[in-house]
Amino acid sequence: MPPLGFLVVFFAWPVAAIVGRGFGSGGVGTAIGDPLTWKLAGFTVASAGVSTIVAVLAGLPVAFLLARVRLPGVSLVRTLVLVPFVLPTVVVGLAFRALWPDGGLLPLVLANAFFNVAVVARTVSGLWSHLDPRTVDAARALGASPWRAFRSVTLPALAPAIASSAAVVFLFCATSFGVVLILGGAKYRTLETEIYLRTVELLDLSGAAALSLVQFAAVVAALVVGALARRRRENAVRLRSRSETARRPRGGEWWAVAAGLAVIALLMTPIVALLIESVSTSDGWSLAGYEALAGHGSRNALQVSGWDAASMSLRTAFDATMLAMIVGVLASVVLVALRRTPGRLARGMGETMDAALMLPLGVSAVTVGFGYLVTLDALPGDLRTSPLLVPLAQALVIIPLIVRMVLPVLRSVDVRLRQAASTLGASPGRVWREIDLPLTARSLVAAAGFGYVVALGEFGATSFLARPDAPTLPVAVATLISRPGELNNQMAYAACALLMIVTVVAVVLIDRFGAVRGQNSVGEF
């Protein structure tokens, strides 16, 4: 009940309230029939589709490197590829703006792909590392070239993982907000940024509701494809230990290794560009931006200092993570129990709940944020003025990620251990405490750390809900880059560099701590 109650109160109710107000104003039908709506939808789908293709093509050689190659430094590659996925959107937006100062369509597409290479690489490598290599060896022995063996044997076996990761990447790209806002400007608008414009600046609730419905339909379609692909992936092959498949590359495989390393180098390029930009001024190298974080920026661009905004980010992310862990772990326990319960009804309930938990990733954060402002006054204490408002919105974003990380770990616990403990007289609570918790503790800590860094950089809902006198660091960065002055620009880049450094350190610790044998620390997208 707690996971479902949380979803109903803090997701379904606010979104339904905003959509209901849009219908109540009577303009939803007009907005849906407006050619501009479908032009925005077409651009959103097309740009997300191109970004997905780029991410898949870039992720496959990295997946090969992680799954099949045994060389020094592969563990470092495993960590580096995860860094872009958890970087705050404003950090990535400014990093690509350092390379393309004028923004545009190309950097927008590449930035969305940059975020999601890790999803493809880690998901596909998780399946690839368990494929039986003898099938490829047999194809080669029968005269197939390396490319034909890959195309005819390996690629069909990897198709479920590729489809699953591609569906999630498309979902993330189609609902991208911060990157499009920074790089797209007024020329390139997606459904997400248009919902923000119509809600915040134009107060066009009917138009925003219509766009939300179109976006929701695309999200549901992506979730259905992803769920079907995940089910196929789970049943695709008989799993084998990774230690039996990883080896030193041979012959043409070195080209795939080189391609994977080239992708990693390209992923690091925007990060290096951002670090350089943070210490570059018109007068040469300088740490003025970092020093200015102690103040409020040029012409008091911020109501608080940069360090106060950083402190607010740390506290807010901690609250959001604790809340998300409670809801996410409970939801994962329920999903595992439903899966182990015989009967179609239990399986159907589990699949429905699993899909419902993923929905917050695909619904406009602006819609959710504005829904909070029009609904939460009905709850005791009027949460609209509570410091918990932003953590609630951030928790809603990271709960699906935590579920995707915790769920496969809980499923991997041998049910016979639990049955033996129950036979010996252990209560259900003691079974969880003595069996499940010790076996999953490392992954639970890793999931908490992963959720924390994602909450630390959350921008969509936070940008709408954070008060000017209590902004998080990503919101402060967005404020700084919207104000004129070189000092504000330097402060923004310095703040992004600090966010990035914290994120990288956290990812290294998470990947090392959570790397349980046989587990994928990204989870089961």
Side-chain angles (χ1 to χ4, degrees):
M1 294 305 296
L4 292 178
F6 185 90
L7 280 178
V8 169
V9 174
F10 296 108
F11 175 67
W13 181 27
V15 171
I18 291 300
V19 174
R21 288 198 174 203
F23 274 101
S25 61
V28 170
T30 303
I32 290 180
D34 188 350
L36 177 61
T37 298
W38 298 106
K39 182 180 179 181
L40 288 168
F43 176 76
T44 301
V45 170
S47 60
V50 174
S51 295
T52 301
I53 293 172
V54 173
V56 169
L57 293 178
L60 286 178
V62 180
F64 171 79
L65 187 61
L66 299 179
R68 291 299 202 200
V69 175
R70 182 179 294 164
L71 286 174
V74 171
S75 60
L76 176 62
V77 171
R78 184 179 300 274
T79 300
L80 290 179
V81 75
L82 186 56
V83 170
F85 181 67
V86 295
L87 283 177
T89 55
V90 292
V91 171
V92 175
L94 282 186
F96 275 83
R97 205 167 81 164
L99 295 172
W100 282 278
D102 297 328
L105 182 59
L106 178 61
L108 192 156
V109 169
L110 292 178
N112 279 329
F114 169 87
F115 265 119
N116 295 295
V117 169
V119 176
V120 178
R122 300 289 288 257
T123 302
V124 175
S125 68
L127 178 57
W128 203 339
S129 63
H130 294 105
L131 292 181
D132 191 338
R134 292 175 297 182
T135 56
V136 176
D137 294 339
R140 296 296 308 278
L142 292 172
S145 65
W147 168 244
R148 185 176 181 185
F150 172 77
R151 189 178 69 249
S152 303
V153 179
T154 305
L155 193 59
L158 294 177
I162 295 173
S164 174
S165 59
V168 175
V169 170
F170 179 84
L171 175 67
F172 287 153
C173 293
T175 57
S176 176
F177 177 65
V179 166
V180 180
L181 202 63
I182 293 174
L183 297 175
K187 185 176 181 181
Y188 299 104
R189 303 198 309 259
T190 61
L191 288 173
E192 185 80 2
T193 56
E194 187 69 11
I195 291 171
Y196 175 85
L197 173 67
R198 297 195 183 194
T199 302
V200 177
E201 298 185 14
L202 303 179
L203 294 178
D204 178 13
L205 292 185
S206 60
L211 295 176
S212 295
L213 291 175
V214 174
Q215 186 185 53
F216 187 76
V219 166
V220 170
L223 288 176
V224 169
V225 171
L228 293 175
R230 275 203 310 275
R231 187 187 306 171
R232 287 184 58 204
R233 188 178 80 232
E234 290 172 357
N235 301 317
V237 294
R238 195 175 112 187
L239 300 183
R240 293 170 58 88
S241 169
R242 185 183 187 278
S243 61
E244 299 176 9
T245 64
R247 56 174 173 76
R248 187 176 178 82
R250 296 180 301 202
E253 292 176 345
W254 284 103
W255 288 106
V257 172
L261 294 176
V263 170
I264 296 298
L266 290 173
L267 291 178
M268 296 300 106
T269 300
I271 295 175
V272 173
L274 185 143
L275 290 174
I276 294 174
E277 190 69 24
S278 71
V279 294
S280 301
T281 66
S282 56
D283 299 324
W285 304 110
S286 173
L287 296 176
Y290 293 91
E291 296 169 354
L293 289 174
H296 295 215
S298 177
R299 299 181 181 178
N300 289 324
L302 300 175
Q303 294 189 21
V304 299
S305 70
W307 294 118
D308 289 337
S311 176
M312 176 60 67
S313 289
L314 295 174
R315 295 196 304 270
T316 302
F318 178 83
D319 294 341
T321 303
M322 292 301 99
L323 180 59
M325 283 297 293
I326 293 171
V327 176
V329 172
L330 285 175
S332 300
V333 170
V334 172
L335 290 173
V336 171
L338 288 173
R339 180 167 180 161
R340 291 173 177 169
T341 302
R344 291 185 178 182
L345 179 60
R347 177 174 287 273
M349 290 174 60
E351 292 176 351
T352 301
M353 182 176 176
D354 196 1
L357 288 166
M358 287 289 286
L359 283 177
L361 287 179
V363 174
S364 169
V366 176
T367 301
V368 175
F370 197 55
Y372 280 8
L373 297 183
V374 301
T375 58
L376 295 189
D377 60 318
L379 296 178
D382 192 357
L383 288 177
R384 296 181 303 175
T385 59
S386 169
L388 287 176
L389 186 62
V390 173
L392 283 170
Q394 291 181 352
L396 196 64
V397 173
I398 62 178
I399 284 172
L401 303 178
I402 289 175
V403 170
R404 295 267 72 83
M405 290 184 69
V406 173
L407 189 57
V409 181
L410 289 177
R411 283 175 177 169
S412 69
V413 176
D414 193 338
V415 69
R416 291 173 297 182
L417 294 175
R418 309 181 86 257
Q419 291 170 347
S422 298
T423 301
L424 293 172
S427 64
R430 188 174 181 186
V431 171
W432 164 257
R433 189 172 65 253
E434 301 285 349
I435 303 296
D436 295 85
L437 189 58
L439 292 175
T440 61
R442 285 165 61 93
S443 293
L444 290 175
V445 173
F450 193 81
Y452 184 82
V453 294
V454 172
L456 195 64
E458 204 284 326
F459 178 66
T462 306
S463 65
F464 190 77
L465 295 174
R467 300 192 308 270
D469 60 341
T472 61
L473 199 54
V475 174
V477 168
T479 302
L480 288 168
I481 62 175
S482 67
R483 303 295 175 85
E486 184 182 18
L487 182 62
N488 290 337
N489 193 62
Q490 290 303 308
M491 283 181 65
Y493 276 104
C496 283
L498 292 177
L499 271 174
M500 185 181 65
I501 291 170
V502 171
T503 300
V504 170
V505 172
V507 166
V508 171
L509 294 176
I510 292 165
D511 213 41
R512 299 300 181 192
F513 189 84
V516 186
R517 185 179 63 181
Q519 298 295 345
N520 183 345
S521 61
V522 167
E524 55 154 26
F525 283 120

